[in-house]
Amino acid sequence: ETKKVAAPTKIVQLKAGQELRFENGFADSETVTLKLKAGHAEVFGSELATDPSYTFSGRKVAVYTWHGCSLELGGTPTVDYVADETPMQSYLNVHLALEQLRVAAEEKGEDGPKVMLVGPADVGKTSLAKILLNYAVKQGRKPIFVDIDPNEGSISLPGTLAATAIGRPIDMEEELSASSATTGTSPLTYYYGYPSPLDKPKLFGALVGRLASIVDRKMSESDVKTSGFIMNTPSQFVDVAGYDILTHAIDSFHVNAILVIGHERLYSELTRRYPPADSGISIVKLAKSGGVVTRDKIYRRRLQMHKIKEYFYGTPKGELSPYSSLVPFSDVAVRRVGEGTLAPSSALPLGSAPLLQETRLVKVDPGDILHHSILAVSHAALPDPGSAAAQLTPEEESNVVLATNVAGFVYVSDVDEDKKKMTVLAPNPGRLPRRYMLMAAMKWMET
Ligand code: ADP
Ligand code: MG
């Protein structure tokens, strides 16, 4: 144990409608603590309890109060100030409107609202998603959180598209930690492997379609049906280049409410493409909060690395010890995502080549190329040698594996080309299952 110096604390009084905003770094010495002394307060819709001291690291946080409160802030944040102006009232109004739709859905036996959030980077999409989910939970609902922003991967790891039903308020310290060991649930996850949907738009579209059909099936379950879903989307959806995948996502998920944050042009484009009168889609324009912080490349990278580390090592609240094992090359079947080889273009109809390329998996010969890679472990089992399934063509194999969700992730910490073995870190003990493993652009360095 290192000796701890008592961190400075101060009392912050907030009046009704005010918000305390603070930021801090990732280092242990930069930890910030928060305690509610009196009144009510919430962090992105999750209410603070009066006793505990909440701990934050590497975060940008807003503590909002509807009726006023007294807070104790400990440690030295890099930034902290109180703001009077927030868009929280308009966010609450959206929640109330969604709640009316849920009540109506209950009466008619229909699905609850299918809500999509769109907007450029750093306007508060993810934060608003959390607020709306938490408010719904507070009303006894169990909405599905769908996150198709592979840059953040708020539900699982960066590079994924995922969905999970939210049955209790989102933990304000751990958020949706990717580690199922700490949250006790395992989200429905598909591996895309690239930060932007524009990196491999055809592959992205295929995975969106797949996730949509499973979420649709999930919506028929009684406990989530009338709650509907809240979907967070990548910032590239606001670019003209992203319109096609945006409309594909709206159509596949049968979205019926779109919240556009901080982007006039997209709002007008969407109302043109989906005239509310005949599309059945309500489109609402919302202001971004003045508190939202622009995150630079370095911070985003830090955040991604932090998420990956948490996946294997847990959080301060729930530490994990991952398992390291030596695996012979002959035991693994790694496929590369998104970079399938191009068929001779003369053999194909115009425009179909990229489709074939991106959604075709390529066999990877294990070796140094895997060093420092994060591999997604598919639920798709490897066929037994000699079985009919072992005779699949590469195209059939790609279709099966890409349509299957992933069970988890491993990290290749070392590769020994001479011994034809690699060292693999996994959150669970035991032999690696005989499953396909997917590799893409995601690398990690254990620090
Ligand atoms: P987006 O999803 O649109 O990129 P986020 O919701 O992730 O934006 O917000 C960007 C950053 O700003 C996040 O670190 C988030 O925690 C922070 N943030 C959001 N709203 C506020 C606020 N009102 N005050 C302080 N920080 C905020
Ligand atoms: Mg986001």
Side-chain angles (χ1 to χ4, degrees):
E1 279 285 289
T2 48
K3 218 169 76 190
K4 275 191 183 158
V5 186
T9 59
K10 68 172 174 184
I11 298 294
V12 180
Q13 305 282 358
L14 295 184
K15 292 202 257 321
Q18 283 187 329
E19 170 170 288
L20 165 69
R21 296 168 181 166
F22 67 84
E23 297 178 34
N24 68 339
F26 288 90
D28 284 350
S29 60
E30 296 170 291
T31 299
V32 163
T33 59
L34 184 69
K35 238 184 200 176
L36 177 67
K37 305 298 270 185
H40 294 275
E42 58 186 48
V43 170
F44 302 126
S46 299
E47 267 186 73
L48 274 82
T50 335
D51 275 338
S53 166
Y54 297 91
T55 305
F56 299 87
S57 158
R59 296 279 302 277
K60 305 171 191 308
V61 178
V63 193
Y64 182 79
T65 181
W66 289 100
H67 304 292
C69 68
S70 169
L71 301 166
E72 185 186 282
L73 187 65
T76 26
T78 45
V79 176
D80 74 282
Y81 66 99
V82 173
D84 294 311
E85 272 175 48
T86 78
M88 288 300 286
Q89 187 60 49
S90 64
Y91 294 174
L92 177 63
N93 291 344
V94 168
H95 162 69
L96 295 173
L98 295 177
E99 196 46 36
Q100 278 178 7
L101 293 174
R102 293 185 187 113
V103 171
E106 246 164 9
E107 284 162 2
K108 294 187 216 141
E110 289 173 356
D111 287 355
K114 301 177 178 181
V115 186
M116 175 192 260
L117 276 70
V118 279
D122 302 322
V123 289
K125 295 182 297 299
T126 303
S127 303
L128 178 56
K130 287 183 211 157
I131 292 170
L132 294 176
L133 291 163
N134 282 328
Y135 285 0
V137 167
K138 217 187 292 181
Q139 306 235 225
R141 306 288 178 187
K142 194 176 179 186
I144 296 177
F145 182 22
V146 182
D147 190 7
I148 60 170
D149 180 1
N151 191 291
E152 282 179 44
S154 320
I155 297 177
S156 179
L157 286 192
T160 61
L161 311 187
T164 188
I166 305 290
R168 51 177 183 178
I170 296 169
D171 189 300
M172 72 185 78
E173 293 165 290
E174 299 194 314
E175 308 212 77
L176 294 158
S177 164
S179 161
S180 57
T182 57
T183 56
T185 55
S186 69
L188 175 69
T189 307
Y190 287 89
Y191 192 54
Y192 169 63
Y194 299 86
S196 158
L198 299 178
D199 289 331
K200 312 281 170 191
K202 294 289 195 303
L203 174 63
F204 186 84
L207 294 178
V208 162
R210 184 67 194 162
L211 183 63
S213 66
I214 307 289
V215 168
D216 204 53
R217 212 180 300 160
K218 177 96 189 143
M219 289 276 291
S220 61
E221 288 171 21
S222 57
D223 62 338
V224 293
K225 185 176 171 62
T226 52
S227 299
F229 66 69
I230 308 282
M231 175 165 42
N232 178 48
T233 63
S235 59
Q236 292 83 1
F237 275 14
V238 307
D239 301 337
V240 176
Y243 283 175
D244 282 352
I245 38 177
L246 165 60
T247 48
H248 171 66
I250 294 171
D251 299 342
S252 330
F253 277 95
H254 308 292
V255 165
N256 55 21
I258 305 177
L259 310 176
V260 186
I261 313 180
H263 207 277
E264 287 289 334
R265 192 189 70 214
L266 183 66
Y267 173 76
S268 111
E269 177 69 25
L270 283 171
T271 47
R272 197 178 60 72
R273 284 183 185 226
Y274 298 95
D278 35 72
S279 69
I281 302 181
S282 323
I283 306 178
V284 178
K285 189 165 50 171
L286 290 170
K288 83 168 220 193
S289 164
V292 183
V293 186
T294 306
R295 294 162 299 171
D296 60 19
K297 266 212 168 103
I298 298 168
Y299 178 77
R300 278 179 189 275
R301 176 97 193 128
R302 251 343 259 280
L303 214 55
Q304 288 178 340
M305 295 301 104
H306 189 75
K307 280 225 95 175
I308 295 172
K309 187 168 178 196
E310 264 184 14
Y311 179 77
F312 294 106
Y313 291 95
T315 64
K317 265 167 107 177
E319 286 182 17
L320 301 172
S321 354
Y323 301 83
S324 206
S325 56
L326 207 58
V327 185
F329 287 173
S330 55
D331 276 12
V332 296
V334 183
R335 299 289 183 270
R336 202 177 171 90
V337 189
E339 286 176 9
T341 39
L342 204 61
S345 54
S346 59
L348 294 163
L350 207 62
S352 59
L355 177 83
L356 190 65
Q357 188 183 32
E358 290 178 8
T359 55
R360 170 73 66 86
L361 298 173
V362 183
K363 215 171 180 155
V364 178
D365 288 327
D368 281 337
I369 187 172
L370 295 177
H371 201 189
H372 295 308
S373 276
I374 296 289
L375 303 177
V377 181
S378 175
H379 270 299
L382 281 174
D384 289 325
S387 67
Q391 307 305 316
L392 294 181
T393 66
E395 188 179 0
E396 288 165 339
E397 185 193 73
S398 301
N399 291 343
V400 170
V401 178
L402 283 179
T404 307
N405 57 323
V406 302
F409 301 86
V410 296
Y411 168 63
V412 181
S413 61
D414 199 14
V415 174
D416 188 334
E417 293 249 14
D418 296 332
K419 297 203 175 106
K420 304 224 167 302
K421 284 183 176 184
M422 59 191 201
T423 311
V424 165
L425 191 72
N428 306 310
R431 264 187 75 137
L432 277 186
R434 277 185 42 83
R435 307 251 178 85
Y436 286 96
M437 296 207 274
L438 302 174
M439 162 191 189
M442 220 156 65
K443 297 265 179 185
W444 183 53
M445 290 279 206
E446 215 176 341
T447 46

